[in-house]
Amino acid sequence: MLRLTGVHTHYGLSHILQGVDLTVGDGEAVALFGRNGVGKTTIIKTIAGWVKPTSGEIEFEGRQIGGWPSERIARAGIGLVPEDRRIFPGLTVEENLNLGFLQCVRRPSGAARREALQEVYANFPRLAERRRQNGTSLSGGEQQMLSFARVLLGKPRLLLVDEPTEGLAPMIVSEIMASLAALKQQNISILLVEQNVEAALKLVSRFYTVERGRLVFEGDAADPADRERAFEAFAV
Ligand SMILES: Nc1ncnc2c1ncn2[C@@H]1O[C@H](COP(=O)(O)OP(=O)(O)OP(=O)(O)O)[C@@H](O)[C@H]1O
Ligand SMILES: [Mg+2]
């Protein structure tokens, strides 16, 4: 469903992505592993259109989306849960959630929106309890759930998730990983950047390791030798 071929991305004069080739299949979950600053977030942002590729091809469901504005990519079915969660200060949990509908191809009716919100609250009961609370007053784990829930209201078929468990307690990490597993069950494809290799390898079937703006290894999450390589991606 997603294929990157020879993608290069620059920030000004800095050449960050240096020819990235990557695929994510229909309903497949794939991880990106690698040390700080190797370009994992840049790969995610380039796919989502937050950063423009300078060359190469990005194909999603048969269409070339490279260079499209980020809103158009979101509406095409790619959801991004960014590293910093982007909870809007001064807005309640529910107001933050309502922003998720902006990514829908057609703006849903009031009744459809209420139904979708009920569904979110059933999946994330803590958000229901805190719906009238300021979004930024939530705990880190709850903010992460809000960020997920908001993106899901746009009904993405591919979810890009950047370090969702960073800085969270082990119990919350399991909750987040369980939510991702549930989404995979619903046939949503996932591209996950994650430092918790152990947890990520339970979710994904395949992974890539990233070094200096290139994918240097592709591994099978079920293969013991490949799994070693996943852990080594973080060795200094
Ligand atoms: N807006 C920017 N302008 C200039 N350089 C940037 C910008 N954002 C990132 N970089 C640089 O691009 C490189 C890749 O950054 P990126 O955030 O993609 O790495 P990462 O693998 O996600 O790292 P981390 O594990 O710390 O999240 C780094 O050298 C970083 O300093
Ligand atoms: Mg990053």
Side-chain angles (χ1 to χ4, degrees):
M1 75 164 352
L2 178 74
R3 177 183 299 277
L4 273 65
T5 315
V7 169
H8 291 253
T9 301
H10 291 72
Y11 289 119
L13 292 176
S14 316
H15 190 179
I16 307 297
L17 300 188
Q18 312 201 359
V20 169
D21 299 317
L22 166 161
T23 60
V24 180
D26 244 332
E28 190 186 24
V30 174
L32 293 177
F33 298 129
R35 287 195 300 269
N36 292 127
V38 293
K40 306 177 300 293
T41 297
T42 306
I43 294 173
I44 296 275
K45 286 185 175 169
T46 303
I47 297 168
W50 289 26
V51 179
K52 301 273 171 271
T54 27
S55 62
E57 290 188 347
I58 305 178
E59 185 188 311
F60 176 65
E61 294 182 334
R63 292 195 282 179
Q64 296 295 335
I65 62 164
W68 285 15
S70 57
E71 307 79 30
R72 188 168 171 210
I73 293 176
R75 292 203 180 100
I78 300 183
L80 169 60
V81 183
E83 205 167 13
D84 58 9
R85 296 162 199 166
R86 304 266 164 141
I87 306 306
F88 291 94
L91 296 188
T92 64
V93 167
E94 189 149 302
E95 286 164 346
N96 266 285
L97 284 172
N98 274 316
L99 293 174
F101 293 117
L102 297 175
Q103 313 294 7
C104 292
V105 181
R106 262 177 244 97
R107 188 165 164 75
S109 67
R113 287 208 302 277
R114 276 191 296 278
E115 193 179 318
L117 280 175
Q118 284 317 317
E119 202 178 307
V120 159
Y121 290 143
N123 287 329
F124 302 97
R126 274 193 247 190
L127 296 183
E129 289 162 31
R130 290 161 172 66
R131 65 210 286 174
R132 312 246 170 269
Q133 218 168 299
N134 198 311
T136 47
S137 73
L138 304 182
S139 72
E142 290 163 353
Q143 290 195 25
Q144 189 60 265
M145 285 171 198
L146 177 54
S147 186
F148 264 103
R150 188 177 54 198
V151 126
L152 291 174
L153 288 169
K155 300 259 175 252
R157 292 182 298 286
L158 169 67
L159 201 57
L160 310 170
V161 193
D162 198 357
E163 307 221 16
T165 69
E166 197 184 10
L168 300 179
M171 213 178 78
I172 313 290
V173 171
S174 322
E175 256 183 71
I176 302 267
M177 295 311 293
S179 308
L180 282 173
L183 295 174
K184 191 182 157 197
Q185 283 295 316
Q186 294 162 36
N187 215 38
I188 295 178
S189 305
I190 297 169
L191 181 62
L192 170 71
V193 174
E194 181 55 63
Q195 308 257 353
N196 187 333
V197 176
E198 195 81 56
L201 287 179
K202 284 186 194 142
L203 178 81
V204 304
S205 51
R206 227 159 31 85
F207 67 87
Y208 297 93
T209 63
V210 190
E211 273 178 32
R212 277 171 271 110
R214 289 198 181 89
L215 305 189
V216 294
F217 182 73
E218 181 186 342
D220 175 348
D223 182 281
D226 284 2
R227 293 169 67 92
E228 280 303 312
R229 295 286 293 263
F231 289 95
E232 283 165 15
F234 295 90
V236 244

